[in-house]
Amino acid sequence: MEHAPFPTWPDVAADLVATAAGRAPADLVLTNAKVVLVQTREVMDGWQVAVKQGRFAYVGPDATHCIGAATEVQDLAGKYLIPGLCDGHMHIESGMLTPAEFARAVIPHGTTSMFTDPHEIANVFGLRGVRLMHDEALMQPVNIWTQMPSCAPSAPGLETTGYEIGPDDVAEAMAWPGIIGLGEMMNFPGVVAGSQQMLAEIAETQKAGKTVGGHYASPDLGPDFHAYAAGGPADDHEGTHEADAIARMRQGMRSMIRLGSAWYDIESQITAITERGLDPRNMIICTDDCFAKTLVDDGHMNRAVRHANACGCDPLIALQMATINTATHFGLEREIGQIAPGRRADMIVTSDLHSLPIEVVYARGVSVAKGGAVLVDCPHLDWPDDTRASVHLGKTLEAADFEIHSDASQVSANVIGVVENQAPTKALVMDLPVRGGVVEPDGIAQIALVERHRGTGGVTNGFVSGFGYGPGMAMASTVAHDSHHMIVVGTDRAMMAKAANRLAEVGGGVTLWRDGEEQALVELPIAGLMSDAPATDVAAKVTRLVDAMEAAGCTLNNAYMQHSLLALVVIPELRISDLGLVDVRTFELTEVIQ
């Protein structure tokens, strides 16, 4: 589907000049504002802003000369005017929403620009899935740029995806209008080892003059980290400590510090600015993964900026990290990220820079939200029928498919240990009993990875600790980063089978079963990852899911996000894939039973 692009600065430069000079009337003038200039870290009290053709024409002390008979004039009564917020790294699919519904959810929170990596759908539908996401993104009233996914599979040889991405795909995508760069290069061992495929994908991106996203999920800041930086990634969001942020910035990368639904990495890294006093220009705030309930209940980038403020950051610096720093990183400082002539008129009216209430949101000079209500339409793509039929199990699963056998009376098992609020897991070793030749997960839970792309009927079994589940339950999800097969976690194998079969029946999503009954269901029919229902509807179902998880004994913060990442075989220490248990410390398959 083709859509008229937003006019470029050169397209409307004559109109902007005429308006700024007073020869032509502005479309909109905002008066009596405290204009926040992130480009100089100043607040200009009493300034005025004139907008023409969706772009800023005049920003200064008096825009009276820009006002004509048809000009809309708004008196801000001394409130702050800040640039629209930019999310420098995120995945729309993690919101369980399509681009249209994600946009509808975040617009009232002041997010007007997003840099999204659709590598979730790439694992299910390949380049075609990326194009569908890209096309719906371009239909929205706010700015959604797409990063071409780099790693499908994320770790070749350790998992099997629905489709694979290669350098030719990257080269093709670089010519699409909404592609801004390469998505996070998760295969950091490949880059460090000089993988020709990974370096070729980076090269295609650099030849196109676009930005290479990074993902160095290792605490090792020695030669391997330096080799990764030498490979070309320009940013990284996987830091969890102050030293991580400093190391990245010292190597000329942007340190992206995130606050998502489960990642709380701002507080531990922003001290590089607030306490060490380093230059903040190379630090960017992002969300990475936020699902619908977080968006509806807590916010998006506004939530992250408020958190940075609460961690002791100067609010003007926090705003820089969420606007101009992001724009500059992607080569868009002449387009977004600041209130200045020629830039897209994306801006927020707020009465306080610290608590950051989002009162009115403008995108491209149009009022798109006020008082938390969306004022514009967010158009939907007509998703093809096959994208709504992507769960192929190959057979009806039974309890026996989830058994792990042993002839011993007790075994030592490698167990995935969940860590609250963090992406990494722990590689644990636990003694487990064997009854009737079957290893039992006493006190912990079983985990299974069910193949769902090709209908092989394959089930990989293991054990996981940390959720706190009681007996008689199971939860299944077709959101299973990054290969997006199906993850099933449970304490009852019969319930595990029922949960898996239920998702095959509804076309994907998340379901929780307990004591023979379904307790919660979140349908995600598009690629088994997203719903095209409003975020409020999805959030309500997620709330029921969270309540059901708590009733089953789980008290972890945002435990669903932890659940969905248990197959992410590029983040240490222990994960599961369709090929087996993966030791991410060595990037090798390992046995469940020692």
Side-chain angles (χ1 to χ4, degrees):
M1 185 181 296
E2 296 295 328
H3 307 281
F6 182 66
T8 67
W9 189 340
D11 289 338
V12 298
D15 290 334
L16 300 179
V17 170
T19 299
R23 298 191 301 270
D27 300 324
L28 170 71
V29 170
L30 302 179
T31 66
N32 194 18
K34 293 185 177 74
V35 179
V36 175
L37 301 182
V38 291
Q39 57 269 40
T40 57
R41 208 184 300 159
E42 293 179 285
V43 178
M44 309 308 294
D45 197 359
W47 270 32
Q48 302 183 358
V49 167
V51 176
K52 185 73 172 181
Q53 298 274 52
R55 294 178 180 270
F56 295 114
Y58 173 88
V59 179
D62 185 2
T64 305
H65 63 291
C66 304
I67 298 174
T71 302
E72 177 187 355
V73 180
Q74 294 285 339
D75 186 340
L76 298 191
K79 293 183 177 180
Y80 294 96
L81 191 66
I82 66 175
L85 302 177
C86 308
D87 191 343
H89 174 73
M90 47 87 70
H91 308 282
I92 284 176
E93 304 100 313
S94 293
M96 303 179 174
L97 304 167
T98 56
E101 290 304 326
F102 197 98
R104 190 191 309 274
V106 302
I107 285 171
H109 299 308
T111 303
T112 58
S113 294
M114 290 171 270
F115 297 86
T116 176
D117 178 356
H119 67 215
E120 322 303 352
I121 200 170
N123 279 271
V124 182
F125 287 116
L127 190 62
R128 173 169 169 255
V130 177
R131 183 71 200 218
L132 291 168
M133 294 289 285
H134 165 278
D135 289 354
E136 184 165 296
L138 290 184
M139 298 167 66
Q140 303 315 309
V142 291
N143 314 308
I144 306 179
W145 280 281
T146 301
Q147 294 173 290
M148 175 59 198
S150 62
C151 299
S154 62
L158 296 178
E159 63 180 346
T160 309
T161 56
Y163 287 83
E164 295 188 5
I165 294 293
D168 291 344
D169 297 314
V170 172
E172 178 180 339
M174 287 301 138
W176 298 350
I179 294 290
I180 197 67
L182 189 68
E184 55 182 306
M185 178 50 70
M186 292 178 290
N187 188 2
F188 62 89
V191 174
V192 172
S195 162
Q196 288 305 300
Q197 177 174 333
M198 297 301 101
L199 294 180
E201 291 183 7
I202 292 172
E204 291 294 341
T205 307
Q206 292 173 324
K207 284 190 290 185
K210 299 180 187 292
T211 305
V212 177
H215 171 115
Y216 183 79
S218 170
D220 178 8
L221 298 177
D224 280 2
F225 169 69
H226 289 260
Y228 183 72
D235 57 61
D236 195 275
H237 58 274
E238 287 296 332
T240 58
H241 299 89
E242 180 188 89
D244 298 328
I246 292 173
R248 285 153 175 78
M249 292 189 290
R250 283 176 175 169
Q251 293 300 307
M253 304 170 76
R254 260 79 183 208
S255 173
M256 290 188 170
I257 57 175
R258 59 188 175 180
L259 181 75
S261 289
W263 320 136
Y264 287 70
D265 297 322
I266 288 179
E267 185 173 9
S268 61
Q269 296 182 88
I270 204 167
T271 53
I273 309 302
T274 59
E275 296 179 12
R276 296 288 293 272
L278 299 188
D279 192 324
R281 78 180 73 184
N282 286 323
M283 186 169 276
I284 289 171
I285 293 174
C286 69
T287 65
D288 199 356
D289 296 298
C290 277
F291 58 83
K293 181 174 170 56
T294 301
L295 300 178
V296 171
D297 294 348
D298 302 321
H300 188 234
M301 280 298 294
N302 57 331
R303 168 177 173 257
V305 173
R306 287 175 190 144
H307 180 65
N309 293 340
C311 291
C313 189
D314 180 331
L316 294 182
I317 293 178
L319 284 176
Q320 288 179 314
M321 294 178 183
T323 58
I324 193 169
N325 290 8
T326 312
T328 301
H329 178 57
F330 289 101
L332 292 170
E333 66 273 15
R334 301 285 291 170
E335 195 69 20
I336 61 170
Q338 58 185 304
I339 299 174
R343 279 70 174 184
R344 299 185 186 195
D346 302 334
M347 50 189 168
I348 299 165
V349 178
T350 182
S351 54
D352 184 75
L353 295 183
H354 196 272
S355 60
L356 204 63
I358 307 298
E359 298 172 25
V360 184
V361 182
Y362 292 87
R364 305 171 190 173
V366 175
S367 178
V368 293
K370 184 174 183 178
V374 178
L375 305 178
V376 291
D377 184 40
C378 294
H380 283 241
L381 189 73
D382 184 12
W383 288 83
D385 290 344
D386 69 309
T387 63
R388 298 177 184 269
S390 64
V391 181
H392 311 288
L393 300 189
K395 66 177 184 180
T396 299
L397 296 175
E398 300 176 352
D401 290 307
F402 299 95
E403 292 179 350
I404 298 175
H405 298 100
S406 175
D407 295 331
S409 60
Q410 179 176 288
V411 298
S412 290
N414 289 310
V415 177
I416 301 171
V418 172
V419 181
E420 187 170 24
N421 289 332
Q422 288 191 12
T425 63
K426 294 295 184 183
L428 306 177
V429 178
M430 304 181 73
D431 292 332
L432 298 176
V434 180
R435 302 188 188 102
V438 179
V439 184
E440 297 293 346
D442 283 14
I444 55 172
Q446 283 195 222
I447 181 172
L449 197 291
V450 179
E451 199 281 332
R452 68 110 164 171
H453 296 312
R454 295 175 174 83
T456 66
V459 179
T460 303
N461 289 297
F463 298 100
V464 63
S465 174
F467 285 113
Y469 289 128
M473 66 77 59
M475 190 172 88
S477 171
T478 51
V479 179
H481 303 275
D482 269 340
S483 56
H484 296 291
H485 289 288
M486 183 190 298
I487 291 177
V488 189
V489 171
T491 56
D492 184 296
R493 288 183 287 273
M495 292 300 94
M496 293 174 76
K498 284 186 176 294
N501 293 328
R502 177 63 164 152
L503 292 189
E505 177 186 324
V506 302
V510 194
T511 183
L512 190 144
W513 287 66
R514 187 178 173 209
D515 298 333
E517 301 291 336
E518 186 174 59
Q519 304 296 313
L521 173 66
V522 183
E523 301 97 330
L524 302 174
I526 298 177
L529 300 172
M530 297 175 289
S531 170
D532 51 1
T536 49
D537 294 354
V538 177
K541 293 184 178 182
V542 171
T543 297
R544 289 194 286 274
L545 174 68
V546 171
D547 290 344
M549 293 174 75
E550 291 179 355
C554 182
T555 59
L556 291 180
N557 178 55
N558 281 311
Y560 167 70
M561 188 66 78
Q562 304 284 19
H563 184 282
S564 70
L565 292 176
L566 291 171
L568 187 50
V569 295
V570 292
I571 297 184
E573 295 178 341
L574 202 60
R575 304 281 162 169
I576 193 169
S577 84
D578 62 305
L579 301 182
L581 200 62
V582 180
D583 188 332
V584 189
R585 296 167 297 184
T586 59
F587 277 84
E588 294 178 342
L589 295 171
T590 188
E591 297 296 327
V592 175
I593 305 301
Q594 290 191 343

